[in-house]
Amino acid sequence: MHFSKLFLVAAATLAAAHPGEVHDAHAVKREIRARDAYAAAAKRALDACASTTEAQQLKQRNIARRARTARQLRESKGITTNARKWRRDLAALEKWEAINHNQTGALDYSSSTAESVIFGGNTSAILTPTVTDGPYYVWGEILRQNVKEEEYCDGVDLTLEVQYIDVNTCRPVKGAVVDIWNANATGVYSGISTTGNYAADGWDSTYLRGIQQTDDDGVVTFDTIFPGHYDGRATHTHLLTHLNATMNANKTLEVGTGSIAHIGQLFWNEVLRSAVEDTSPYNTNTQAITTNADDMWSVLQASDEYDPFPEYLYLGDGLEDGLFAWIQIGINASADYTDNSYYSIAAYYEEDGGHQNTASSAFGGSGSATNGTMPSGAFSSSAAASSSS
């Protein structure tokens, strides 16, 4: 699909997203172009050092870690059938989504299959951070790996591993604090209570939200569920990355500390989404489905350079056994989105519960719409040319 056609589709759906997620169509068009240029420059920088000894050693650790995680997940669930890996090339999303993976892409792996075959794929080292955090970001979530709670979290179990690599140095980003949040199976976010998203327990709810700090290899792992859909946006998972932030004694992030180095969204292919949507309670979600082709952020432009789709593994024969997914994200650790219009705090979760941020544009405050500007310290093509290991 041509960019111009994608933009027309995106422009037509801008007003249909969650209340508060309002964007200027021309600004979005500029941001998509900036996103793609950023991704191409960063990809060149990463390619320049991909063959170094340090990079190769990191890759081997990635393979071993992912294999170990998959084994542990299968053992904890008592799964004895072979796991299944959906395979795809990275050429173009159109080709990927044209394949019926239920018939042609599903491979059964045995104990004799090399782990490098299964877990060597990173999908991409680029998820450009010029994507809005949406209107429902909450500051103050709790440090925890498992963000599932007893209520409102029914769905397909998903263990998600995210690895951050600094495109300026090609080294893992250690000690970053990563927020994760996504809608539940019926398309409702926690921590928010507003028209179009009335979460049970309102501002005090915390399900499917949490933070983790990256380890020495730049990795965080979250236990969550596959996100549900809502009207106006393709199915996605939110991520936001803080650097040099201060952790409080109660394992929350201190307000106003550190920089915002990355704002991103992970997307999920239509084959997997459709399979999930056929299960309960996803099949009770009455909101309209927006495909990747119709999403405002033009995710059909995914390529070797910009590819926000994680690799994933069925832990058993079916979705009832859960999923393990992973992605490697390249970020510019010197960038700071704190003052960028993409960064918008909808609410704060504090010791006495959740509180609405009345200044947020999501609720009629003074927050501005997307302005199409890159953040301070944004990655440049010149930096890509000079980057080294």
Side-chain angles (χ1 to χ4, degrees):
M1 184 179 292
H2 293 297
F3 179 88
S4 58
K5 184 176 180 182
L6 280 167
F7 174 66
L8 290 174
V9 171
T13 60
L14 290 181
H18 257 319
E21 192 164 356
V22 179
H23 304 276
D24 177 80
H26 295 289
V28 170
K29 184 177 181 180
R30 290 194 301 270
E31 284 297 341
I32 290 173
R33 289 175 173 170
R35 176 198 72 186
D36 294 342
Y38 174 97
K43 184 64 162 60
R44 289 194 297 272
L46 289 167
D47 286 346
C49 61
S51 60
T52 65
T53 300
E54 187 176 10
Q56 291 300 309
Q57 290 174 343
L58 178 63
K59 181 177 180 180
Q60 293 305 311
R61 292 199 300 274
N62 290 345
I63 292 170
R65 182 186 61 255
R66 292 164 185 165
R68 182 171 61 251
T69 299
R71 285 196 299 269
Q72 291 172 346
L73 288 170
R74 284 166 50 80
E75 289 173 1
S76 68
K77 293 174 178 288
I79 301 170
T80 57
T81 57
N82 286 339
R84 297 195 298 172
K85 171 72 164 60
W86 300 125
R87 303 202 59 181
R88 67 188 181 97
D89 61 36
L90 303 177
L93 183 60
E94 291 93 333
K95 294 179 181 178
W96 156 236
E97 293 195 334
I99 299 172
N100 182 346
H101 286 75
N102 285 318
Q103 296 179 4
T104 64
L107 299 178
D108 290 331
Y109 290 96
S110 68
S111 59
S112 62
T113 304
E115 291 178 343
S116 59
V117 174
I118 306 174
F119 298 104
N122 288 324
T123 296
S124 174
I126 295 297
L127 178 66
T128 180
T130 53
V131 177
T132 176
D133 65 359
Y136 296 157
Y137 171 60
V138 176
W139 182 292
E141 297 301 339
I142 301 169
L143 181 70
R144 57 181 179 175
Q145 176 174 329
N146 185 359
V147 299
K148 294 178 291 184
E149 298 181 358
E150 186 174 346
E151 294 185 292
Y152 319 119
C153 296
D154 291 339
V156 174
D157 287 340
L158 169 66
T159 296
L160 176 64
E161 176 196 287
V162 185
Q163 182 177 47
Y164 290 90
I165 303 295
D166 186 350
V167 296
N168 295 304
T169 64
C170 296
R171 294 188 174 93
V173 181
K174 177 183 176 181
V177 178
V178 181
D179 275 91
I180 189 173
W181 71 101
N182 58 257
N184 70 1
T186 55
V188 179
Y189 286 93
S190 69
I192 302 295
S193 183
T194 187
T195 303
N197 193 99
Y198 288 115
D201 300 326
W203 305 100
D204 293 334
S205 58
T206 57
Y207 60 83
L208 303 180
R209 293 181 182 268
I211 58 175
Q212 282 276 292
Q213 279 191 288
T214 57
D215 63 14
D216 289 348
D217 280 339
V219 173
V220 290
T221 303
F222 288 100
D223 295 321
T224 182
I225 66 167
F226 190 88
H229 73 268
Y230 57 87
D231 190 11
R233 291 299 315 281
T235 299
H236 60 280
T237 300
H238 289 273
L239 296 170
L240 190 146
T241 309
H242 311 259
L243 295 183
N244 303 311
T246 301
M247 296 295 295
N248 295 318
N250 62 357
K251 296 185 178 180
T252 62
L253 205 60
E254 184 173 330
V255 176
T257 63
S259 61
I260 307 300
H262 174 261
I263 303 171
Q265 297 175 18
L266 304 183
F267 293 89
W268 305 90
N269 73 80
E270 299 296 337
V271 175
L272 177 60
R273 182 196 58 74
S274 295
V276 171
E277 295 282 0
D278 285 338
T279 68
S280 178
Y282 298 90
N283 56 11
T284 67
N285 188 347
T286 59
Q287 299 187 70
I289 293 174
T290 299
T291 66
N292 291 322
D294 291 336
D295 187 76
M296 61 187 289
W297 287 105
S298 185
V299 293
L300 271 181
Q301 296 299 305
S303 65
D304 282 340
E305 297 166 345
Y306 174 75
D307 187 3
F309 291 80
E311 293 279 353
Y312 62 94
L313 181 81
Y314 274 53
L315 291 172
D317 277 340
L319 288 169
E320 65 275 6
D321 292 323
L323 299 164
F324 171 46
W326 62 93
I327 190 169
Q328 188 183 74
I329 298 175
I331 68 172
N332 178 20
S334 62
D336 188 357
Y337 285 76
T338 303
D339 296 325
N340 189 272
S341 61
Y342 278 133
Y343 179 54
S344 175
I345 300 175
Y348 295 92
Y349 188 76
E350 301 172 303
E351 290 186 8
D352 60 346
H355 302 279
Q356 176 182 352
N357 177 17
T358 56
S360 171
S361 59
F363 311 112
S366 58
S368 61
T370 286
N371 60 17
T373 59
M374 295 292 283
S376 61
F379 192 80
S380 66
S381 57
S382 60
S386 62
S387 177
S388 65
S389 61

